[in-house]
Amino acid sequence: MYQEIDLEIDLDKIDIHAEPPIEEPARQYYFMAKCRKWVKGFEQRNGHLPKSCVLNFGCQMNARDSEKLRGILREIGYIETAEDEADFVIYNTCTVRENANTRVYGRLGQLKPRKKKNPHMMIGLCGCMMQEPEVVEKLKKSYRFVDIIFGTHNIYKFAELLSTRLESERMVVDIWKDTDKIVENLPNQRKYGFKSGINIMFGCNNFCSYCIVPYVRGRERSRAPQEIIGEIKRLVADGVSEVMLLGQNVNSYGKTLNTPMTFAKLLQEIEKVDGLQRIRFMTSHPKDLSDELIEVMGNSKKICKHLHLPVQSGSTDILTKMNRRYTKEQYLSLVEKIRKAVPDISLTTDIIVGFPGETEADFEETLDVVRKVQYDSAFTFIYSKRTGTPAAVMENQVPEEVIKNRFDRLLKEVQTIAAKACAVHEGTVKEVLVEDICDHDPKMVTGRLSNNLLVHFYGGKELIGTYVDVLLKECRGFYYIGEMAEAGKAS
Ligand code: 5AD
Ligand code: SF4
């Protein structure tokens, strides 16, 4: 685990008997100091430090938020552990599809008997699902054993909420409807030493008619470019060479800044950071993907050869009902433009099957796009009705068995095409950033190509975090088995 910022603030020097500061992040450091005092008391009473576990249920934005929670917990003095040993369990929830919510209730049900046996145990819930008022009502009524509930807008207040809980012994609930606030310079604990996600913006203004994200993540707001660049420089100094810029719609980055700036310009500034080797980003909305960005991608040495470009549906009719604001033809010509500017780019996408009113003909249009674009991979989702979104009350909801049939057909098509797209690199040597020991064979390591494909090859853990040229020997559908090649041989 890697602690990100070198805290210049010494928590032990903060006077926790004084009034808490008003301004952030000083206020949160004050509460971290207070919680740390409690942690020391816990250690004296129990002979060991308290243990915590933050579990993530959502997207990469959520994963990054979880790293922030872990950073704060570590600062306070908690030791990270597995869920079944933790004194403090936190679920960072997702609500983009209904089954994400169901999973959380299921796991909470399993925690209840544990908490009964260990009354000192604490349970925290945060993330997108908590931004739904019905969820919080249900928790307050039927899940009284939960200790802290907070949302996506006030995650930076975690130390303050924990401190309140430790003092009051009562359920603490703090949910904000929206915010325009961005609090910088809080601790962070990232999973990998050599790569990191970085939020460049929060929220979404697009209101795709099926999507709950704009309601739970609030209005779009961008971080100032100097804050982003500053964070990247600190990360690079700490060993990071690959960054993933995160936002619901990175292509509209900068529109809400006092001095507006385009995403393409931000990328150019990031490219200048010495020591940074790879830049990734997600997610791109096709309607906002500019010619300027395509040009920057084509000329860049550091931007990875991978673009995730969610299409959602191939039918212009359905796209209109989805409020996506592009047609099938516009999407396909965009793909053509990108392929021309960056010929070896890998394209991936998200597709929803069974949106209300989707006919067989509409679905065939989706299959047609999949065949025309030849995606390297695609995330396929069954449409999930989200209360409060316009699509939830649309007519002609598609019957379950029809959706299932279409989903299976789509998946087959996507897998066949992806296997073909993946195989084109067989026999070439490519540069790989080694990420981990291979899950299936401890004598192998797993790395990622610039185009996001995974490759497993024989090698030891000393390679983790380094760039290695690898011969891609055998394509196994969506990953490669490779062999270390002579340095400098990569194409
Ligand atoms: N049902 C199914 N899939 C959805 N997504 C977002 N909302 C829904 C929904 N209600 C998918 C979209 C999006 C991805 C992150 O999740 O494809 O791109
Ligand atoms: Fe949801 Fe559309 Fe915003 Fe993506 S762009 S988060 S799908 S509303």
Side-chain angles (χ1 to χ4, degrees):
M1 292 298 165
Y2 300 84
Q3 185 72 6
E4 226 150 76
I5 54 175
D6 227 352
L7 292 176
E8 277 148 35
I9 300 153
D10 184 350
L11 291 189
D12 292 328
K13 292 209 176 110
I14 294 176
D15 177 7
I16 55 171
H17 302 293
E19 283 295 303
I22 305 293
E23 63 290 349
E24 299 290 3
R27 185 176 173 87
Q28 296 314 311
Y29 284 104
Y30 167 91
F31 285 108
M32 279 180 236
K34 264 191 128 165
C35 292
R36 188 189 272 190
K37 174 105 192 294
W38 178 87
V39 160
K40 284 190 175 147
F42 180 102
E43 189 182 18
Q44 275 165 8
R45 288 190 302 278
N46 299 285
H48 63 88
L49 287 165
K51 295 181 216 157
S52 63
C53 175
V54 180
L55 281 181
N56 194 55
F57 289 85
C59 62
Q60 305 208 31
M61 298 280 265
N62 264 40
R64 184 67 179 152
D65 283 346
S66 295
E67 292 184 346
K68 294 174 186 170
L69 298 177
R70 289 190 196 106
I72 292 170
L73 285 166
R74 176 175 146 153
E75 222 32 58
I76 290 173
Y78 274 87
I79 303 289
E80 216 180 322
T81 186
E83 185 185 5
D84 57 352
E85 288 183 348
D87 304 292
F88 188 11
V89 173
I90 297 150
Y91 291 161
N92 190 3
T93 62
C94 169
T95 187
V96 78
R97 284 168 290 276
E98 179 66 32
N99 56 5
N101 292 36
T102 318
R103 270 173 70 203
V104 167
Y105 288 126
R107 292 188 80 128
L108 270 180
Q110 289 169 6
L111 279 186
K112 191 177 178 180
R114 252 188 75 198
K115 169 124 185 185
K116 240 191 171 146
K117 262 199 246 151
N118 314 299
H120 75 273
M121 184 189 168
M122 285 197 299
I123 300 170
L125 293 175
C126 63
C128 292
M129 188 176 154
M130 300 306 121
Q131 293 294 141
E132 290 181 276
E134 319 79 76
V135 168
V136 176
E137 278 321 303
K138 182 168 169 170
L139 291 167
K140 281 201 222 162
K141 213 167 127 222
S142 313
Y143 295 81
R144 294 295 311 166
F145 58 95
V146 174
D147 297 276
I148 306 177
I149 299 175
F150 55 106
T152 53
H153 303 300
N154 54 349
I155 195 154
Y156 72 87
K157 268 183 72 181
F158 177 49
E160 183 168 349
L161 299 174
L162 176 57
S163 166
T164 311
R165 168 64 186 77
L166 293 173
E167 276 171 12
S168 75
E169 296 274 319
R170 283 210 309 268
M171 187 187 222
V172 173
V173 182
D174 190 15
I175 310 284
W176 300 0
K177 268 210 158 83
D178 203 350
T179 185
D180 51 11
K181 206 167 171 159
I182 298 177
V183 177
E184 304 280 357
N185 296 324
L186 281 166
N188 231 316
Q189 184 169 296
R190 57 180 200 275
K191 190 169 169 203
Y192 296 100
F194 52 88
K195 69 170 187 176
S196 178
I198 295 183
N199 301 106
I200 61 165
M201 59 199 298
F202 303 92
C204 180
N205 284 353
N206 287 317
F207 291 96
C208 300
S209 64
Y210 50 83
C211 186
I212 203 165
V213 168
Y215 306 90
V216 297
R217 288 256 169 199
R219 294 295 60 76
E220 199 171 284
R221 52 215 182 273
S222 297
R223 285 177 73 194
Q226 60 274 20
E227 295 287 355
I228 298 170
I229 304 281
E231 183 176 353
I232 294 177
K233 284 185 173 160
R234 282 198 301 272
L235 285 165
V236 169
D238 195 33
V240 165
S241 68
E242 178 182 301
V243 290
M244 165 75 94
L245 310 176
L246 298 169
Q248 304 297 345
N249 178 14
V250 290
N251 302 113
S252 68
Y253 170 81
K255 286 187 181 154
T256 53
L257 288 171
N258 289 338
T259 319
M261 179 185 207
T262 63
F263 179 54
K265 285 266 159 7
L266 177 72
L267 282 172
Q268 285 175 304
E269 289 307 311
I270 295 175
E271 177 120 10
K272 290 181 198 154
V273 175
D274 279 339
L276 183 65
Q277 299 204 47
R278 282 183 172 183
I279 306 169
R280 299 184 185 277
F281 54 84
M282 79 186 313
T283 294
S284 289
H285 194 306
K287 80 175 164 61
D288 295 313
L289 201 138
S290 65
D291 290 350
E292 184 196 15
L293 175 64
I294 296 176
E295 195 187 324
V296 168
M297 287 179 77
N299 293 333
S300 169
K301 297 257 179 304
K302 297 185 180 175
I303 300 174
C304 287
K305 307 284 184 202
H306 172 218
L307 181 66
H308 186 65
L309 196 62
V311 65
Q312 313 297 3
S313 167
S315 150
T316 298
D317 260 5
I318 295 293
L319 288 170
T320 310
K321 287 184 191 147
M322 286 178 162
N323 192 30
R324 291 290 287 177
R325 284 172 277 174
Y326 53 83
T327 63
K328 175 188 181 188
E329 289 69 32
Q330 282 167 334
Y331 183 90
L332 289 174
S333 65
L334 184 61
V335 165
E336 211 172 295
K337 249 199 278 186
I338 295 161
R339 287 224 193 269
K340 211 162 150 207
V342 196
D344 45 352
I345 196 149
S346 141
L347 287 174
T348 59
T349 200
D350 292 342
I351 301 170
I352 298 176
V353 179
F355 183 82
E358 185 190 72
T359 61
E360 179 60 24
D362 290 319
F363 176 67
E364 289 287 342
E365 298 270 27
T366 299
L367 287 178
D368 187 47
V369 167
V370 167
R371 290 180 192 126
K372 286 203 164 101
V373 177
Q374 297 278 305
Y375 291 108
D376 292 80
S377 104
F379 296 100
T380 49
F381 303 109
I382 287 179
Y383 167 70
S384 169
K385 199 191 222 182
R386 307 310 290 125
T387 309
T389 62
V393 290
M394 282 183 188
E395 285 172 3
N396 300 323
Q397 302 276 333
V398 185
E400 214 172 289
E401 56 294 353
V402 175
I403 299 188
K404 183 82 184 52
N405 171 282
R406 288 182 192 160
F407 184 82
D408 291 346
R409 281 154 65 203
L410 176 66
L411 196 62
K412 222 168 130 199
E413 192 75 44
V414 159
Q415 284 174 343
T416 313
I417 290 173
K420 238 172 59 196
C422 172
V424 302
H425 306 286
E426 212 166 77
T428 63
V429 176
K430 293 262 189 278
E431 188 183 59
V432 166
L433 170 56
V434 182
E435 297 198 337
D436 238 320
I437 295 291
C438 176
D439 279 344
H440 308 293
D441 184 346
K443 290 195 283 305
M444 294 181 109
V445 288
T446 300
R448 207 174 279 274
L449 310 184
S450 163
N451 70 9
N452 214 34
L453 273 176
L454 288 179
V455 47
H456 309 299
F457 62 98
Y458 283 104
K461 65 174 188 306
E462 69 286 353
L463 293 176
I464 293 175
T466 66
Y467 290 81
V468 179
D469 287 350
V470 175
L471 169 66
L472 305 178
K473 285 185 74 175
E474 188 195 337
C475 177
R476 297 252 179 105
F478 54 94
Y479 66 91
Y480 270 98
I481 299 295
E483 187 179 281
M484 248 165 109
E486 224 177 286
K489 283 274 183 303
S491 56

